[in-house]
Each structure stands twice: as structure tokens, then as C-alpha cells.
């Protein structure tokens, strides 16, 4: 027996990504089986998504997806994402589950070049190059997963991951790694408002272990020849070198050196995020002739020897901040002359 989903089907997303049925899609019924054939929807931008699916009374089921230039902007209609995407995804995704054998599946997806931008500042977009995601699952085990995302002229981010047994859900063991090698972080700085400008080479390596429910992360990070600017106070740091490590208990150590104006300094920090509700942070700053403020009406140069710690709700600051050189320009003040 057969029935059809006809061309009246429409998923109205209130924009150019509204999807309509490309052709009538048959639904087939047999003893203990239901199958959906060639259910294809498309939009006016050239995106096309085709679905074939089947279900059996035994509990076995299967799903096959074929994507052609499907816009990642559809994510905005599914989750409350803080960033906007305009890349397009093409490729295939297959998933099968057979009773007693566990799930199996594979996917080969390619990602076109595009941009990533903050929702509240679309002009601060970061250009990305071609990328992709590949994975294979056999008898409930994620045998292989690879992710690659490139940034034209600046480097790439790549990773691999595996899950020991998908059937165990949150208790399954996980393993993976993520490598980032970027010749410049300038474009990435547009995604945050912590600084107005940033540059420097970034290298990072993150390893994943533990289980899905309780993942264990470790990693290393370095920034070479960095520079950061915060325009509201005219703060500019140059020749920044930072090295950091993170252990499986979410303890993060960072140390490095920098220059600010005529002077230079060093920074050492340690943060313990093993308890996210009660993090402990220690921050040490040492330096001479550091330009802290440099705006048209105010200039401040200081020698710093400061220790800052945050424990529970207590902020503690110890040390010295000497200001041997400062300049404050007063604006013209008009007064009325009284005869």
C-alpha cells in the first residue's frame, strides 16, 4: 500500500530559507514496515535536502540524508545561536539501527567558504575557507571522526574524536584532539568585545578523554609576537608572548611577557575551574614604565608589582602601583566676569 506527501508541503522559515517539497514523496506500507522515499525539499537559494527513511516492527530503522548546498543559516531557526553562519553544507549522512547489533552510520560532509559573525555585530565577520566533517560508526562505536576548518591566509583548525560505544550513551568513553595553528588571530578578535584589536600567531593543542558525561580536557596554548589594543583607555600591548597549560582538573596556568609604551612587564596567572561555581584565580603583574592610559586628555605611566586573587566572593589585591609619570589636561573653563 502506498500514499504520497504531495507538493503542498512547506516549512516556512520567514526568510529566503523557506523550504518547499520538490516533488510528491511516496510513503510505502508493508507488513510491519513503513518507508519514506525521496522526500526532497528545496528553497529558492539552491539548497536541497533529500530524506529516505524506513522503520520495521522489530525496532530496526534507517535514515539517509543527501544535502546539496544547504545553508547553515538554518541553524538560526533551530537553536538560539550567538553567531551567524552563511556557509553551505553538501554531502551524505546515513544511520541504521538493527536489533541486537547496535547503530552504524557514516557521514561525509563538506563545508563551503563563508563567514562567521556575532549576532549583535554582523559587520565583524570572520572569513572561513572550505572545511568538512567525516565520521564512521560501526556496532555502536565511533571509529573515526574528523573535523577541518580553514581560515584563508591565516591557518586552520582540525580535530579528531571517537566514542567507545554509542550504545552506552553518557557513560561511553571518549577520546579526541583539537589542533589550531593560526598565523594571525586578528580576524578571531572580531568575535569578542574584550579587545578592540589583536594580532599574533596562535598555536593550541587540546586533548579529550574521560566519558561523554564527564569529559576530561587537557591542553597547551601559545601566542607569539602578539599585540592587543583597548581603545577606550588607549591601552596597547605589544611583543606579547604567552604560554599556557590546562590539566584534567581544569586548572589553567598562563605566563608571559609584554611591552606597553616605554616599559615592559611579565604576567603570571593561575585559575582553578574544577568547581565552576567557586573558581579560584591568582594573578600577578610585574613591570616598569608601563603605559596604562594614553588618551588625549590623560596619560598614565606606572611601575607595577601587584598580586590579585579571587576566592569565593573575596577579591584580594596586594602590592604596589607607583605612578612616576602622569599628565591630565584640563579643558577650557569659561567663567563670567563680574564688574
Amino acid at each position: 500500500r502506498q500514499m504520497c506527501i504531495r507538493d503542498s508541503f512547506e516549512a516556512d522559515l520567514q526568510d529566503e530559507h523557506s523550504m518547499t517539497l520538490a516533488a510528491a514523496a511516496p510513503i510505502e506500507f508493508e507488513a510491519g514496515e513503513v518507508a519514506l522515499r525521496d522526500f526532497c525539499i528545496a528553497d529558492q537559494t539552491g539548497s536541497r535536502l533529500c530524506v529516505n527513511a524506513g522503520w520495521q516492527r522489530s525496532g530496526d530503522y534507517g535514515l539517509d540524508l543527501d544535502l546539496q548546498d544547504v545553508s547553515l543559516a538554518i541553524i538560526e531557526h533551530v537553536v538560539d545561536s550567538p553567531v551567524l553562519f552563511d556557509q553551505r553544507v553538501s554531502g551524505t549522512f546515513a544511520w541504521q539501527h538493527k536489533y541486537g547489533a547496535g547503530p552504524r552510520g557514516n557521514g561525509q560532509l563538506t563545508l563551503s567558504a563563508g563567514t562567521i559573525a556575532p549576532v549583535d555585530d554582523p559587520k565583524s565577520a570572520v572569513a572561513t575557507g572550505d572545511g568538512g566533517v567525516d565520521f564512521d560508526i560501526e556496532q555502536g562505536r565511533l571509529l573515526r571522526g574528523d573535523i577541518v576548518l580553514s581560515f584563508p591566509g591565516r591557518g586552520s583548525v582540525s580535530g579528531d574524536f571517537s566514542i567507545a560505544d554509542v550504545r552506552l550513551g553518557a557513560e561511553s568513553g571518549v577520546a579526541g584532539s583539537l589542533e589550531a595553528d593560526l598565523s594571525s588571530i586578528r580576524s578571531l578578535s572580531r568575535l569578542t568585545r574584550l579587545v578592540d584589536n589583536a594580532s599574533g600567531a596562535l598555536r593550541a593543542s587540546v586533548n579529550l578523554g574521560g566519558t561523554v558525561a564527564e569529559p576530561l580536557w587537557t591542553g597547551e596554548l601559545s601566542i607569539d609576537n602578539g599585540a592587543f589594543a583597548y581603545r577606550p583607555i588607549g591601552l596597547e600591548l605589544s611583543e606579547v608572548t604567552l604560554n599556557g597549560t590546562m590539566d584534567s582538573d581544569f586548572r589553567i596556568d598562563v605566563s608571559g611577557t609584554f611591552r606597553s609604551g616605554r616599559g615592559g612587564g611579565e604576567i603570571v596567572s593561575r585559575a582553578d575551574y574544577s568547581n565552576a561555581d567557586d573558581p579560584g584565580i591568582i594573578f600577578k603583574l610585574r613591570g616598569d614604565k608601563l603605559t596604562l592610559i594614553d588618551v588625549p586628555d590623560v596619560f598614565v605611566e606606572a611601575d607595577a608589582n601587584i598580586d590579585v586573587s579571587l576566592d569565593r566572593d573575596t577579591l584580594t589585591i596586594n602590592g604596589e602601583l607607583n605612578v612616576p609619570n602622569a599628565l591630565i589636561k584640563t579643558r577650557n573653563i569659561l567663567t563670567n566676569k563680574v564688574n
Side-chain angles (χ1 to χ4, degrees):
R1 191 171 54 173
Q2 185 182 88
M3 62 179 292
C4 288
I5 301 177
R6 299 196 178 276
D7 55 7
S8 60
F9 178 88
E10 180 177 0
D12 188 1
L13 303 180
Q14 303 298 320
D15 60 15
E16 70 272 18
H17 306 111
S18 296
M19 309 291 283
T20 57
L21 192 63
I27 301 177
E28 300 175 353
F29 297 89
E30 295 184 5
E33 293 186 28
V34 179
L36 174 65
R37 306 296 185 193
D38 298 325
F39 178 84
C40 297
I41 54 177
D43 67 15
Q44 51 268 49
T45 70
S47 299
R48 184 181 179 91
L49 171 63
C50 292
V51 180
N52 284 273
W55 174 85
Q56 297 180 358
R57 182 180 299 168
S58 63
D60 296 350
Y61 60 85
L63 174 69
D64 291 299
L65 302 180
D66 190 333
L67 300 89
Q68 298 179 17
D69 289 330
V70 176
S71 175
L72 275 184
I74 293 178
I75 293 176
E76 303 161 27
H77 302 282
V78 181
V79 298
D80 186 17
S81 174
V83 293
L84 304 173
F85 302 89
D86 63 7
Q87 294 87 351
R88 291 178 175 269
V89 180
S90 298
T92 60
F93 172 90
W95 187 266
Q96 295 180 346
H97 184 279
K98 291 188 177 294
Y99 180 77
R104 62 180 300 183
N106 61 78
Q108 294 85 37
L109 302 174
T110 61
L111 190 67
S112 71
T115 60
I116 303 173
V119 171
D120 56 356
D121 188 12
K123 293 183 179 179
S124 299
V126 175
T128 64
D130 295 336
V133 177
D134 293 339
F135 69 88
D136 287 304
I137 294 175
E138 190 68 40
Q139 295 184 344
R141 177 170 179 162
L142 181 59
L143 301 179
R144 178 185 62 90
D146 298 302
I147 301 174
V148 177
L149 181 62
S150 64
F151 297 88
R154 295 180 175 87
S156 65
V157 176
S158 62
D160 62 82
F161 55 93
S162 65
I163 299 178
D165 193 339
V166 176
R167 293 170 295 183
L168 295 179
E171 299 303 316
S172 177
V174 294
S177 64
L178 181 69
E179 301 285 340
D181 190 351
L182 303 176
S183 60
S184 175
I185 61 174
R186 185 183 303 278
S187 59
L188 295 183
S189 68
R190 300 173 187 167
L191 299 178
T192 176
R193 293 186 174 181
L194 295 176
V195 295
D196 294 299
N197 197 9
S199 63
L202 168 69
R203 290 177 177 81
S205 175
V206 179
N207 295 310
L208 170 65
T211 65
V212 173
E214 296 183 359
L216 300 177
W217 301 89
T218 60
E220 298 179 351
L221 175 147
S222 68
I223 293 179
D224 294 320
N225 196 28
F228 301 89
Y230 185 59
R231 294 194 185 97
I233 61 173
L235 177 63
E236 294 188 2
L237 305 181
S238 62
E239 299 180 28
V240 177
T241 299
L242 292 176
N243 292 283
T245 60
M246 179 179 70
D247 66 19
S248 58
D249 291 323
F250 290 97
R251 285 190 289 264
I252 302 173
D253 294 320
V254 177
S255 62
T257 58
F258 64 92
R259 293 197 62 79
S260 179
R262 297 190 303 159
E266 61 177 342
I267 182 174
V268 177
S269 71
R270 172 169 293 181
D272 186 350
Y273 291 96
S274 56
N275 182 354
D277 296 325
D278 183 22
I281 301 173
I282 298 174
F283 180 87
K284 298 181 179 182
L285 176 64
R286 308 283 187 268
D288 298 320
K289 299 179 181 179
L290 303 176
T291 299
L292 302 182
I293 302 177
D294 189 3
V295 291
D297 296 325
V298 181
F299 175 83
V300 176
E301 190 177 77
D303 300 332
N305 186 359
I306 299 174
D307 294 340
V308 179
S309 65
L310 175 63
D311 186 15
R312 294 182 181 275
D313 297 324
T314 303
L315 176 65
T316 304
I317 302 176
N318 294 309
E320 296 181 353
L321 183 65
N322 298 320
V323 183
N325 188 10
L327 175 64
I328 299 177
K329 296 180 181 179
T330 59
R331 296 186 179 275
N332 293 329
I333 301 176
L334 301 179
T335 60
N336 292 325
K337 183 177 181 180
V338 178
N339 294 323

